[in-house]
């Protein structure tokens, strides 16, 4: 059969994708899907891959029961993960400096909190954000649920991006976590958006969900207006002692499909090839870049699990003739006026 060459039209930015349309994308022959995603990619992006380094600033002991997460207190007896304290601001900044010198342009700090509490610890996180931003890096934090005033404080500190994943479809969510609702997740996303912080919001595949759930998650994300600027696509890391222990590894082509469909429905987003990459061959990663991924987590550790070797990652990018995204001088603008903010909160809250 001849390959379909008809995917060169300009991809519009749409917020009205239906689950059926997205499922139809998943059903395309793989090479047609990747070709289409690559056409979209070239209309909106250059050949750079962003290197984002991660640091767990507060590990373990989280009150939520997310089935995939090694940091949940609910699985601590079986995972053996201890509850640690928030780490020191100076140490965090020294790690950010090392990441910058190694070529990262984004630094993401994760805390195993259900939600943020005002007080000394949050003050320290605000100082971390100021310090990382002051180095010229994009600062990203992921701290669990936020209140509007906390989002505004982070914005004032110069925060570029807030990571808060929806993880899976609204339909499958209850199978994965019981201690919070999808709507609570959407509410935090609305507050972050309203504060003028860029959104980093994606999901995980390989948790037993169906293709429908992957399509349904992408529908919720693509309905947001504007789309999240950053969409991490994680392959489950089936950590020992979590309820997901023993789940089969995500099929490489399933990952490629998820990335390609994400690229097509959210053309401008930075699509991040996230957790699970250490199990992927160089060829699988190359296909993911072909399908529209343009960022990786960079450095030997994610939050608690291991990641690819940094030198090997740089070598792979060079072997493929891709380039590393340089630090840009144009930070994300906190430029929404008050009425636009209010409108966006309403839109995001309605999209469940
Ligand atoms: N507590 C915050 C929250 O839940 O938003 C921040 C930290 S949480 C560890 C950040 C994200 O990491 C989760 O939303 C999930 O998407 C991803 N993640 C956690 N454990 C994972 C695993 N075992 N495999 C793949 N992704 C995982
Ligand atoms: C995201 O979507 N994936 C990253 C980042 N955002 C914070 C975290 C992956 C964590 C994988 C399991 C671990 O290392 O604990
Ligand atoms: Fe892990 Fe975040 Fe869930 Fe806590 S809220 S268990 S840190 S994913």
């Amino acid at each position: 059969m001849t390959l379909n060459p008809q995917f060169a039209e300009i991809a519009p930015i749409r917020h009205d994708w239906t689950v059926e349309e997205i499922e139809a994308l998943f059903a395309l022959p793989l090479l047609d899907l990747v070709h289409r995603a690559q056409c979209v990619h070239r209309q909106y992006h250059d050949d750079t891959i962003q290197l984002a380094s991660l640091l767990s600033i507060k590990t373990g002991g989280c009150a939520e029961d997310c089935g995939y997460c090694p940091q949940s207190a609910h699985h601590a007896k079986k995972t053996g993960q201890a509850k640690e304290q928030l780490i020191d601001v100076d140490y965090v900044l020294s790690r950010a400096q090392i990441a910058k010198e190694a070529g990262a342009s984004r630094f993401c700090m994760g805390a195993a909190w259900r939600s943020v509490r005002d007080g000394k610890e949050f003050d320290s996180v605000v100082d971390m954000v100021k310090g990382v931003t002051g180095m010229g890096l994009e600062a990203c934090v992921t701290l669990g649920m936020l209140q509007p005033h906390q989002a505004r404080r982070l914005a004032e500190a110069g925060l570029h991006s807030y990571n808060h994943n929806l993880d899976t479809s609204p339909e499958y969510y209850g199978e994965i976590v019981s201690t919070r609702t999808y709507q609570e997740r959407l509410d935090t996303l609305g507050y972050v958006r309203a504060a003028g912080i860029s959104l980093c919001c994606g999901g995980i595949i390989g948790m037993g969900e169906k293709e429908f759930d992957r399509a349904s998650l992408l529908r919720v994300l693509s309905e947001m207006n504007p789309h999240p600027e950053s969409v991490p696509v994680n392959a489950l890391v089936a950590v020992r002692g979590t309820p997901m222990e023993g789940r089969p590894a995500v099929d490489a082509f399933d990952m490629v499909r998820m990335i390609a469909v994400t690229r097509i429905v959210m053309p401008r987003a930075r699509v991040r090839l996230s957790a699970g990459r250490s199990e992927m061959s160089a060829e699988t990663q190359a296909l993911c870049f072909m399908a529209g991924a343009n960022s990786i987590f960079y450095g030997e550790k994610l939050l608690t699990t291991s990641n690819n070797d940094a030198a090997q990652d740089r070598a792979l990018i060079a072997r493929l003739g891709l380039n590393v995204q340089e630090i840009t001088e144009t930070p994300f603008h906190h430029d929404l006026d008050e009425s636009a903010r209010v409108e966006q909160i309403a839109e995001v809250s309605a999209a469940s």
Side-chain angles (χ1 to χ4, degrees):
M1 200 202 276
T2 49
L3 295 174
N4 188 345
Q6 303 299 317
F7 294 130
E9 78 274 12
I10 296 291
I13 303 293
R14 289 180 48 189
H15 301 280
D16 61 354
W17 287 95
T18 64
V19 174
E20 291 74 23
E21 284 179 298
I22 300 174
E23 284 182 299
L25 291 174
F26 275 105
L28 284 172
L30 184 72
L31 297 192
D32 283 355
L33 175 62
V34 171
H35 175 56
R36 180 163 170 176
Q38 175 66 197
C39 288
V40 174
H41 191 77
R42 283 171 187 245
Q43 287 164 17
Y44 289 92
H45 299 273
D46 58 19
D47 66 351
T48 60
I49 303 291
Q50 185 180 45
L51 304 181
S53 289
L54 264 178
L55 181 66
S56 180
I57 56 171
K58 194 268 156 198
T59 306
C62 182
E64 302 273 26
D65 68 351
C66 310
Y68 51 78
C69 186
Q71 303 201 64
S72 165
H74 297 258
H75 326 314
K77 272 202 189 117
K78 289 188 178 164
T79 58
Q81 175 64 61
K83 178 178 179 173
E84 296 175 13
Q85 297 298 306
L86 183 72
I87 60 178
D88 198 61
V89 178
D90 288 342
Y91 176 72
V92 173
L93 298 185
S94 72
R95 292 288 301 266
Q97 186 62 35
I98 291 168
K100 180 181 173 182
E101 282 161 16
S105 58
R106 185 173 175 105
F107 192 71
C108 181
M109 295 161 274
W113 285 331
R114 177 169 198 271
S115 55
V116 170
R117 274 181 302 176
D118 294 320
K120 263 195 183 157
E121 291 193 324
F122 186 47
D123 295 348
S124 293
V125 174
V126 169
D127 287 342
M128 292 171 195
V129 170
K130 285 182 185 157
V132 170
T133 305
M135 287 175 199
L137 293 165
E138 291 180 11
C140 175
V141 291
T142 178
L143 313 170
M145 288 184 271
L146 277 183
Q147 294 304 311
H149 71 279
Q150 295 165 332
R152 285 195 293 270
R153 236 189 118 193
L154 289 168
E156 280 158 19
L159 185 69
H160 186 284
S161 194
Y162 196 84
N163 169 250
H164 201 63
N165 292 337
L166 288 171
D167 286 332
T168 190
S169 66
E171 295 80 5
Y172 195 60
Y173 201 67
E175 301 293 319
I176 302 301
V177 46
S178 74
T179 50
R180 61 163 185 258
T181 64
Y182 214 69
Q183 188 56 49
E184 284 177 303
R185 236 31 205 173
L186 292 168
D187 289 345
T188 291
L189 291 167
Y191 304 145
V192 168
R193 178 58 88 199
I197 298 168
S198 105
L199 279 196
C200 175
C201 184
I204 308 177
I205 64 169
M207 301 191 294
E209 76 287 347
K210 300 201 163 54
E211 204 159 79
F212 165 85
D213 297 297
R214 297 175 188 176
S216 175
L217 166 66
L218 292 178
R219 184 203 59 82
V220 176
L221 293 173
S222 62
E223 201 171 69
M224 293 179 186
N225 189 2
H227 291 155
E229 286 73 13
S230 160
V231 182
V233 179
N234 294 279
L236 174 73
V237 181
V239 179
R240 219 168 156 182
T242 65
M244 300 277 163
E245 174 181 357
R247 283 237 174 243
V250 169
D251 177 75
F253 298 137
D254 280 0
M255 190 67 178
V256 173
R257 277 185 194 282
M258 185 68 183
I259 286 176
V261 178
T262 303
R263 167 54 65 227
I264 292 167
V265 302
M266 288 172 281
R268 281 203 190 100
R270 195 168 276 280
V271 177
R272 301 183 191 274
L273 171 56
S274 302
R277 199 168 57 81
S278 61
E279 301 304 314
M280 291 174 200
S281 67
E283 292 80 1
T284 297
Q285 294 180 63
L287 254 182
C288 289
F289 296 140
M290 185 84 181
N294 56 356
S295 173
I296 55 172
F297 284 120
Y298 175 65
E300 282 76 11
K301 211 163 174 199
L302 293 170
L303 291 173
T304 63
T305 64
S306 59
N307 192 31
N308 310 54
D309 176 77
Q312 278 181 15
D313 280 342
R314 287 196 304 272
L316 177 62
I317 289 169
R319 270 169 81 196
L320 298 176
L322 293 167
N323 285 297
V324 170
Q325 194 217 13
E326 303 286 335
I327 291 179
T328 57
E329 296 306 319
T330 45
F332 186 76
H333 293 294
H334 305 287
D335 59 359
L336 293 179
D337 66 28
E338 202 50 47
S339 61
R341 289 177 185 185
V342 170
E343 226 168 76
Q344 281 187 359
I345 287 187
E347 271 173 22
V348 175
S349 295
S352 59

